[in-house]
Amino acid sequence: MKNAVLVVDDEPSVIRAIARALQDEEVEVVGANSAEEAEALLEHQAFKVVISDQCMPGMEGSEFLARVSLRHPEIVRIMLTGHATLTGIMEAVNRGEIYRFFTKPWSDLELRFALRSAFEKYDLETRVRRLMAVARCQTLRLRQLEREHPGITRIQRHAGAHDLPLLDEEEIAVLLRDLGVEV
């Protein structure tokens, strides 16, 4: 998946400024002028990061990012606001599980570094989720094998070494047939 970021702000000039700040990066920037427009985009396009303004008509950024957190928990969420209050920051962090928080005007350099870090976070967490799925699948297969061939997954210890019990040719043929392997 390419590095795509959704920028949600009711001020089109902010979206354009962020796109300009990221023009030298390998990033696709898509803009939405409202939370509703952003939610429609999220249903049809994959994004790794969402940057949202806090103060928007219709829905606050913290509420929007909380909804993103529930519907698309894999997407990294960043808050951008011109009206930072401690209460607003706490609400945004607690409800939307915000990764980073920026105030307007932002530093282009800090924003680029934050986005690189956010993309790495997304990619790393995606790899971890895939590995966890493979581990769960392998555990289920081992349990299935153990049910069908009791003792096959047990490891025996002899003088500090580990031995797997040897199977005879018939047991191996049955095992391979059960796994769908042609002999």
Side-chain angles (χ1 to χ4, degrees):
M1 173 196 281
K2 61 185 168 189
N3 290 335
V5 59
L6 176 60
V7 181
V8 186
D9 198 305
D10 59 327
E11 297 177 50
S13 61
V14 170
I15 297 171
R16 287 192 304 270
I18 290 175
R20 271 194 311 275
L22 301 173
Q23 66 186 3
D24 293 335
E25 304 286 319
E26 291 184 26
V27 175
E28 177 188 5
V29 178
V30 177
N33 296 116
S34 67
E36 293 78 18
E37 183 183 345
E39 287 181 327
L41 286 167
L42 287 168
E43 295 305 317
H44 302 290
Q45 191 171 345
F47 295 96
K48 291 184 176 180
V49 177
V50 171
I51 300 173
S52 177
D53 183 23
Q54 170 63 8
C55 297
M56 295 185 294
M59 185 185 308
E60 289 188 345
S62 58
E63 181 182 351
F64 166 67
L65 291 175
R67 292 168 69 140
V68 172
S69 173
L70 291 174
R71 294 182 182 157
H72 310 278
E74 72 282 1
I75 296 176
V76 180
R77 295 162 299 279
I78 296 175
M79 175 66 71
L80 179 67
T81 184
H83 308 284
T85 63
L86 183 59
T87 304
I89 292 171
M90 287 174 50
E91 183 179 325
V93 169
N94 292 335
R95 291 180 65 195
E97 299 178 34
I98 307 301
Y99 177 65
R100 295 282 169 91
F101 196 99
F102 287 94
T103 56
K104 295 178 182 175
W106 63 89
S107 157
D108 286 352
L109 183 63
E110 288 179 14
L111 183 64
R112 282 195 296 267
F113 285 140
L115 272 176
R116 288 179 193 163
S117 176
F119 291 136
E120 288 176 9
K121 178 182 183 330
Y122 178 94
D123 292 340
L124 180 63
E125 289 178 356
T126 299
R127 276 186 241 128
V128 168
R129 280 192 294 275
R130 284 189 194 134
L131 289 174
M132 295 293 288
V134 168
R136 279 193 298 271
C137 184
Q138 289 175 339
T139 299
L140 291 175
R141 284 186 173 201
L142 284 174
R143 286 182 185 158
Q144 180 183 10
L145 281 173
E146 187 62 37
R147 271 195 312 269
E148 294 172 2
H149 308 281
I152 193 168
T153 61
R154 292 192 190 121
I155 298 174
Q156 299 173 354
R157 292 180 183 199
H158 295 284
H162 299 282
D163 293 331
L164 293 173
L166 295 177
L167 303 174
D168 62 34
E169 288 186 29
E170 184 176 325
E171 290 173 315
I172 292 172
V174 169
L175 181 62
L176 291 174
R177 188 180 64 240
D178 290 348
L179 293 173
V181 178
E182 291 187 26
V183 181

